[in-house]
């Protein structure tokens, strides 16, 4: 296994209007993956308007000066593509992939939707109604409810602390002026990155992009840098579902941002602890006790901060036992770190599989987008294996010592409060909330 | 993974995307079929083992054994003991997973190419000498019960799907869920597993597909050396696949603590080998793929009676099911959503689709196929699925041209003949009070 991972040849360019362009030519299937990212996400949602960035991304495709919403749909889908639009806490994304011969048409539509949406009032109202209605269905998915409650408990009032897809009340209150104002304030070439990967001629693609996006003008201001979240006090949040026969559980705590030097040690430590099928958590929870079908942990890292969480589910009767086990495994790992054998296996696993994460045009486009958004060094990709191999047992223990929720962190459960409340009191002060209070 | 839905489309485009002529196909004396394709585009290999067994081969009392067995396959054999399969594979830079469907049980390993020898050793070990201990059976039984609670008992879609299949099929084994009934999961014994292994996990009931950075001749030798001495098994018993004619709508209601109603409709649809299969894929795409598809436009955009609608036609060995699922907007009467759906289906059955709609659907399917074939894993899976469901791995190279030959008239005909209102089954979810 060689050390270097090779990215395809990349052309980097910045247009006069400030738009950053990244093009990569790849052999393989005759498709192109296109991503246009705007550095403005849910963290910029104003107070009382949670979900606004998400709403803007959904509504942008519903009409421009040159196309109605239906025409956008028909044009994109007529080329064999589906336009994806959405936001996360740091950015808004517009992406699609389709046969390479349609690259010009694809970029034309994406540019039109991002740079020139008109937000027709009727379409905007409809999207707003649909998004509010979707939240009701979301409440019927216990795992999604648990994730939502976890974000809120971990980040509190930090701009990352509200769900990207918003709250029903806030969405319903969002006016057309809110939507156009958000777009005008943040959507501009200086805040945007265009990534195109696939079977393309870079020089021709660059000419094409210049033609389609070189005239984009907007005084958009850069998004402000955010601070780190405060550590939440230890608490237990139970989202009551009186009729559930299985409880979803999470244990979580704030952690570092994506560009942190802790990223690689944490990646490796987490892979040992709760990453794959042979992780400590999988062994303890599934293999040794048969408590759950799945258990995992992860460091989720965004631009300003991140969080670490453990996640699983089990029948109500064993929910407290499961949390107990998660906490004790976290403590054991924090105190002892990984064994040499575990670390060696995990390094081989991560290094061996990395090429699989860069196999398709879409995956490469997403990786280049991620690197650009979080401001990490692109050499991270080529040097991935060397960085993974450099992680030592004490690096892993240090990451766990700093970030694992043993005495800290929040415990979240979605299940019947009457049955869970008493047994969960041992983990901290319990707060019972309704599912509806989360949307 | 449990449901084998049509995410994997067994198709290809002519040309460099899937060079069928370079596939090396060989059958070992014990019946194991081996298909190899050298593809050097990434330094990885994908290794698939397809066992020709799924929930359709089960009987009442033993429902769910195929899926439970899939779990057992990761619990040790004679050379590599308990917990070793994944550890050894991961230490060589690989990963493994599996799924069970109504028709098939499928295992796959993806890894850096230099782990190929280890994979062959691991896979042949468990095919030859799987250990079925009482301890691991008990442990996996608990794990599977949690999986069932997750995917079915606490999932509105899972409950509805389970109910629908038992309406669409009265006698065929497709009527029970792949994960099995809870009581049966509880009941399956070690002896049941041993007999199941002897019958369905013998080399003559399996096929291996390897795609990626490999030397085909050396790989074939490696496989012959490792699998050659595994004895053949008995011929698996035939599946009773009859189904009485449906003579009217079948309907069921699920009352469940939910926020909003939902609707699932299904029709018995032809098997994967049917000449109508490609036209039904196009119909499904015209109806519910993309914002401009008929059902999304009518139900989500125009009438606003649902927040989402999807259609799926899964290719199966025996006649399967065509599904439409809709999440109804809270506050909207279910009947309104239903009426809009029936109207749109009647419209397509009576008037067909336009040339533009058909072209759009063909392009969307072509893109989906190209995406599928852009990874070693996707190619290996497509070869295996084609052989398992259509009888020949070469079919992986024909479906795209079959899509091209479908006409608007075909789409109209299959809509009229298969989505007959008198032959539909309907499950509705009625929310009962939640806090």
């Amino acid at each position: 296994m060689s050390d270097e991972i090779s990215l395809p040849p990349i052309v980097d360019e910045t247009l006069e209007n400030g738009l950053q362009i990244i093009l990569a030519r790849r052999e393989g299937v005759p498709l192109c993956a296109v991503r246009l990212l705007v550095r403005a996400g849910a963290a910029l949602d104003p107070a009382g308007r949670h979900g606004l960035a998400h709403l803007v991304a959904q509504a942008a495709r519903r009409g421009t000066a040159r196309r109605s919403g239906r025409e956008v749909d028909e044009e994109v889908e007529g080329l064999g593509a589906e336009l994806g639009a959405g936001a996360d806490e740091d950015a808004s994304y517009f992406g699609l992939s389709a046969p390479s011969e349609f690259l010009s048409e694809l970029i034309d539509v994406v540019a039109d939707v991002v740079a020139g949406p008109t937000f027709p009032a009727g379409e905007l109202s409809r999207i707003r109604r649909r998004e509010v209605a979707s939240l009701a269905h979301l409440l019927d998915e216990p795992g999604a409810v648990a994730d939502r409650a976890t974000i809120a408990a971990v980040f509190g009032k930090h701009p990352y602390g509200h769900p990207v897809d918003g709250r029903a009340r806030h969405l319903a209150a969002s006016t057309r002026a809110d939507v156009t104002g958000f777009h005008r304030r943040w959507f501009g070439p200086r805040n945007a990155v265009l990534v195109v990967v696939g079977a393309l001629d870079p020089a021709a693609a660059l000419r094409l992009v210049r033609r389609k996006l070189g005239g984009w003008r907007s005084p958009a201001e850069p998004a402000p840098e955010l601070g780190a979240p405060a550590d939440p006090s230890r608490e237990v949040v139970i989202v009551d579902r009186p009729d559930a026969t299985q409880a979803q559980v999470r244990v979580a705590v704030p952690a570092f941002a994506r560009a942190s030097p802790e990223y690689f040690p944490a990646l490796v430590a987490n892979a040992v602890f709760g990453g794959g099928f042979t992780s400590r958590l999988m062994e303890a929870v599934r293999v040794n006790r048969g408590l759950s079908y799945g258990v995992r942990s992860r460091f989720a890292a965004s631009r300003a901060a991140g969080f670490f969480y453990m996640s699983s589910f089990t029948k109500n009767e064993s929910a407290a036992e499961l949390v107990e086990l998660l906490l004790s495994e976290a403590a054991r790992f924090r105190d002892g770190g990984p064994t040499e054998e575990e670390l060696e296996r995990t390094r081989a696993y991560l290094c061996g599989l990395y090429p699989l994460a860069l196999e398709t045009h879409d995956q490469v486009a997403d990786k280049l987008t991620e690197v650009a958004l979080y401001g990490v060094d692109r050499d991270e990709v080529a040097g991935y294996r060397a960085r993974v191999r450099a992680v030592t047992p004490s690096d892993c223990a240090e990451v766990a010592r700093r970030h694992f929720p043993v005495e800290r962190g929040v415990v979240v459960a979605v299940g019947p409060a009457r049955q869970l409340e008493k047994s969960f009191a041992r983990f901290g002060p319990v707060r019972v909330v309704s599912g509806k209070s989360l949307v | 993974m449990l449901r084998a839905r049509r995410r994997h489309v067994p198709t290809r485009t002519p040309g460099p995307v899937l060079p069928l002529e370079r596939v090396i196909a060989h059958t070992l004396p014990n019946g194991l079929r081996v298909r190899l394709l050298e593809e050097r585009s990434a330094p990885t290999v994908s290794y698939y083992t397809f066992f020709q067994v799924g929930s359709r081969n089960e009987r009442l009392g033993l429902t769910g054994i195929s899926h439970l067995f899939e779990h057992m396959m990761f619990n040790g054999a004679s050379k590599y003991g308990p917990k070793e399969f994944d550890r050894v594979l991961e230490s060589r830079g690989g990963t493994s997973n599996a799924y069970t469907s109504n028709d098939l049980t499928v295992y796959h390993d993806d890894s850096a190419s230099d782990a190929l020898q280890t994979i062959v050793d691991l896979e042949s070990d468990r095919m030859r000498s799987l250990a079925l201990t009482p301890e691991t059976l008990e442990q996996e039984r608990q794990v599977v019960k949690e999986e069932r609670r997750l995917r079915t008992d606490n999932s509105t879609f899972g409950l509805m799907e389970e109910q629908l299949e038992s309406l669409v099929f009265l006698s065929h084994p497709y009527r029970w869920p792949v994960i099995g009934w809870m009581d049966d999961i509880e009941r399956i014994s070690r002896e049941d597993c041993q007999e199941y292994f002897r019958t369905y996990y013998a080399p003559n009931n399996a096929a291996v597909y390897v795609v990626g950075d490999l030397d085909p001749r050396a790989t074939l030798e490696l496989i012959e050396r490792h699998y050659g001495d595994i004895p053949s098994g008995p011929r698996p018993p035939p599946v009773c696949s009859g189904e009485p004619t449906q003579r009217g709508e079948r309907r069921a209601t699920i009352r469940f603590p939910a926020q909003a109603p939902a609707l699932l409709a299904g029709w018995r649809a032809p098997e994967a080998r049917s000449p109508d299969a490609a036209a039904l894929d196009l119909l499904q795409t015209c109806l519910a793929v993309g914002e401009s598809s008929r059902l999304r436009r009518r139900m989500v955009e125009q009438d606003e009676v649902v927040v989402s609608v999807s259609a799926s036609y899964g290719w199966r060995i025996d006649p399967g099911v065509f599904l439409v699922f809709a999440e109804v907007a809270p506050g909207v009467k279910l009947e309104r959503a239903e009426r809009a759906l029936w109207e749109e289906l009647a419209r397509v059955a009576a008037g067909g689709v336009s040339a533009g709609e058909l072209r759009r659907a063909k392009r969307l399917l072509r893109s989906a196929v190209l995406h599928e074939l852009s990874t070693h894993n996707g190619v290996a899976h497509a070869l295996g699925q084609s052989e398992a469901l259509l009888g020949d791995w070469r079919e992986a190279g024909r479906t795209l041209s079959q899509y091209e030959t479908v006409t608007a008239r075909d789409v109209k005909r299959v809509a009229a003949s298969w989505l007959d209102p008198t032959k539909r089954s309907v499950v509705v979810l009625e929310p009962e009070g939640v806090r």
Side-chain angles (χ1 to χ4, degrees), chain A residues 289-290, chain B residues 68 72 133-145 185-186 188-190:
Chain A
R289 295 212 205 169
Chain B
L68 177 62
M72 295 301 291
T133 67
E135 296 75 29
T136 54
L137 178 61
E138 278 324 301
Q139 162 217 319
E140 288 307 333
R141 199 194 303 280
Q142 298 313 314
V143 170
V144 169
K145 283 162 69 179
I185 297 171
E186 197 68 76
I188 292 163
S189 71
R190 186 160 159 255

Side-chain angles (χ1 to χ4, degrees), chain A residues 74 77 97 129 137 240 278, chain B residues 90 291-292 304 371 435:
Chain A
E74 274 159 20
E77 291 163 12
S97 92
R129 286 192 294 271
H137 283 277
D240 192 17
T278 62
Chain B
E90 289 185 5
E291 299 285 328
S292 58
E304 296 188 47
H371 275 119
R435 273 192 263 169

